[in-house]
Every structure is written in C-alpha cells, then in structure tokens.
Amino acid sequence: PGDHVAPRRGAMARKRDVVARTLPIIVALAFAIATLNTSNRLSALRDEHGRLEQLHRMATSDLKKLMAQRDCKEKLDALEVTHAEDLATHVSETQMKIEEYEGANKDLRDELEACELAKTEARASEGEALAKLESSRNEAKQLEQEVGQMRAQGCREDPPAPDAPSSS
C-alpha cells in the first residue's frame, strides 16, 4: 500500500508544477485582454467625446443665435415673420445635413460590406488558383518523368509492352 502513495504524490507535485508555471501566463493573458478592452473603450470614449464637443459647439452657437433672435423679436415685432422663417430654414438645413450624413454613413457601411465580400471572394479565388497551380506543377513533373523515361528507353516511338517492367 505504501508504494501506491508515492506515485500519487509525484503526480500531484507535477500538477502543482504545471499550475505554478501556467498560472502566471494565464494571469498575464487575462491582464492583456483586459488592457486591450480598456484601451478600445477609451478610444471609443475619446471619439464620442470629440463628437459631443463638436455638437456642444454647434448647440452653443445655435443657442446664442436663438437668444439674439428672441431679443430682436421682443424689440421689433415687424421682424417676427423673418425671424421665424430664418429659424425654420436653419432647422430644415440642419435636418437635411443630418439626413445627408446618415445617408453617407449608410453608403460607407454598404461599401465596407461590399469590400469585405470582395476580399473574401478574392481569398477564395486565390485558394483555387493556388490549387490549380499546384496541379499544373504536378502534371509538369509527371510529364518530365515520362520524357525522362522515354529518353532512357532510347526515345522509342512505340510504348513499352504491358508486360515490360516500368522504371518508375
């Protein structure tokens, strides 16, 4: 019974050794993945921050214009119609720009998808072409061997009889 305990202890020691060697690698990989995820999130947040700052600048500018227009409306009732038309035009133009940007974004996404599809198709074609090339190389090697055999046989025009031994 004592002989069976020693191999188990050796196996446990090996398992502990494997765990001790692999655990730091696993921890490092987990840290690297977490770092990459954090970096990607930070990059996305930076992009979003830039967009929000741009929208804030636009909104601040528009807000200042609207406040100035309100003051003018209170002072000059005669300009009320013009003010409303200007505001409506601005809103309409902004909406049109937003729609243009959304359309352009969709077009770019569609174009990206088409490029990805074309890339996939090109890779498939490349694989087929490589397979054909390999097949052609094999055929060329086979023809070279046959020519070599024919030369070795003295370039006889008649093929060897079926019972004659082949050199291959």
Side-chain angles (χ1 to χ4, degrees), residues 5-82:
V5 175
R8 278 192 226 145
R9 285 185 186 153
M12 290 301 292
R14 282 192 298 277
K15 286 180 184 177
R16 281 194 300 273
D17 186 44
V18 167
V19 169
R21 285 184 289 162
T22 56
L23 191 58
I25 295 170
I26 293 169
V27 169
L29 284 173
F31 180 75
I33 290 168
T35 302
L36 180 62
N37 287 340
T38 302
S39 175
N40 289 341
R41 285 189 199 123
L42 282 174
S43 178
L45 286 173
R46 276 190 217 103
D47 292 345
E48 186 65 20
H49 178 70
R51 286 190 292 272
L52 288 173
E53 280 185 333
Q54 184 179 9
L55 289 173
H56 177 68
R57 283 192 299 272
M58 289 171 54
T60 301
S61 173
D62 290 347
L63 181 61
K64 287 178 184 176
K65 287 178 188 175
L66 289 173
M67 290 177 70
Q69 289 172 352
R70 185 190 71 196
D71 292 342
C72 289
K73 182 180 178 188
E74 290 173 357
K75 293 177 184 176
L76 304 168
D77 287 340
L79 295 176
E80 186 174 323
V81 172
T82 304

Side-chain angles (χ1 to χ4, degrees), residues 95-109:
Q95 183 62 38
M96 286 173 41
K97 286 180 184 176
I98 289 171
E99 290 170 3
E100 287 175 18
Y101 292 145
E102 288 173 348
N105 279 344
K106 185 188 179 312
D107 292 345
L108 288 173
R109 276 191 232 105

